[in-house]
Amino acid sequence: MANHVALFQLGMDLASSSSTAQTEEHDHRAAPHEEQRKDFFIERNGVRFAGTHLLIDLYEAEKLDDVDLMERALRECVTAAGATLLHINLHHFEPNGGVSGVAVLSESHISVHSWPEVGYAAFDVFMCGAARPHEAVGVLQRHFQPGRVVVKEHMRGEEGNLWNDGSRKTCTTVGAPAIALIA
């Protein structure tokens, strides 16, 4: 009898051989809106993935301590990529003048960490959907005049097989972009 009371308190009714917790979980999985969810996955050359993540390193760059210029550059990157800016938060370090921060986007983010004392900056540009993250490379070159740029690309979620039937319907097909690699 004590076991029946304890199981009843956990939502399990032995008399009906069912569990209210199991019923709720079952109802959640059967919700019709799950099939209509939009995930904005990308397809390129037959490969489906969650988003393009560019790691952009600027070497021998200029003005990496100018926080106002950094904000203008990030805003221009967002516009050039066709992305949607939600907010920007930048921090200016003292005494070396480095800048760290992030632009949060509907399509993910752009982040930066700069070391002006050695002319180096590391940018992460991660975007999903129809945004064009590669367009940010030229914007950063124009603003910071680096002597050398290294761009590495990673297709996030490629290995996870994360999409469902709803995301296949909203998948964005893109052509292979030209990756900027300047030695």
Side-chain angles (χ1 to χ4, degrees):
M1 182 65 173
N3 287 340
H4 286 267
V5 172
L7 292 173
F8 184 79
Q9 290 173 341
L10 294 172
M12 300 179 74
D13 183 0
L14 293 178
S16 67
S17 70
S18 67
S19 164
T20 55
Q22 290 174 350
T23 300
E24 290 172 4
E25 184 175 313
H26 177 72
D27 289 345
H28 175 70
R29 281 184 267 154
H33 69 278
E34 290 289 326
E35 294 179 10
Q36 299 170 0
R37 194 176 80 206
K38 296 180 180 180
D39 292 324
F40 301 100
F41 283 90
I42 298 170
E43 181 173 333
R44 183 186 317 149
N45 301 327
V47 178
R48 292 178 190 258
F49 53 101
T52 301
H53 197 157
L54 300 180
L55 304 177
I56 304 169
D57 291 336
L58 305 184
Y59 297 93
E60 304 160 31
E62 301 172 358
K63 303 178 184 173
L64 295 174
D65 58 347
D66 186 336
V67 71
D68 294 330
L69 178 63
M70 188 67 72
E71 181 171 342
R72 285 196 308 275
L74 292 180
R75 288 182 183 279
E76 284 187 38
C77 286
V78 172
T79 300
T84 304
L85 179 65
L86 299 177
H87 61 87
I88 292 180
N89 189 357
L90 297 172
H91 180 80
H92 198 199
F93 289 96
E94 295 296 333
N96 73 346
V99 177
S100 289
V102 64
V104 178
L105 314 174
S106 291
E107 297 82 2
S108 195
H109 70 272
I110 301 172
S111 68
V112 60
H113 301 282
S114 73
W115 290 262
E117 68 274 21
V118 294
Y120 172 73
F123 290 87
D124 288 5
V125 178
F126 180 31
M127 297 180 186
C128 66
R132 301 173 309 276
H134 299 86
E135 298 296 326
V137 176
V139 173
L140 297 173
Q141 287 179 291
R142 190 175 66 254
H143 282 285
F144 301 109
Q145 304 293 312
R148 186 168 56 112
V149 178
V150 175
V151 180
K152 296 177 183 173
E153 180 176 358
H154 185 72
M155 294 183 287
R156 303 295 300 266
E158 175 185 6
E159 298 87 5
N161 195 22
L162 301 173
W163 43 86
N164 58 31
D165 288 340
S167 63
R168 287 182 194 276
K169 293 175 187 170
T170 60
C171 183
T172 301
T173 302
V174 297
I179 303 291
L181 175 58
I182 300 171

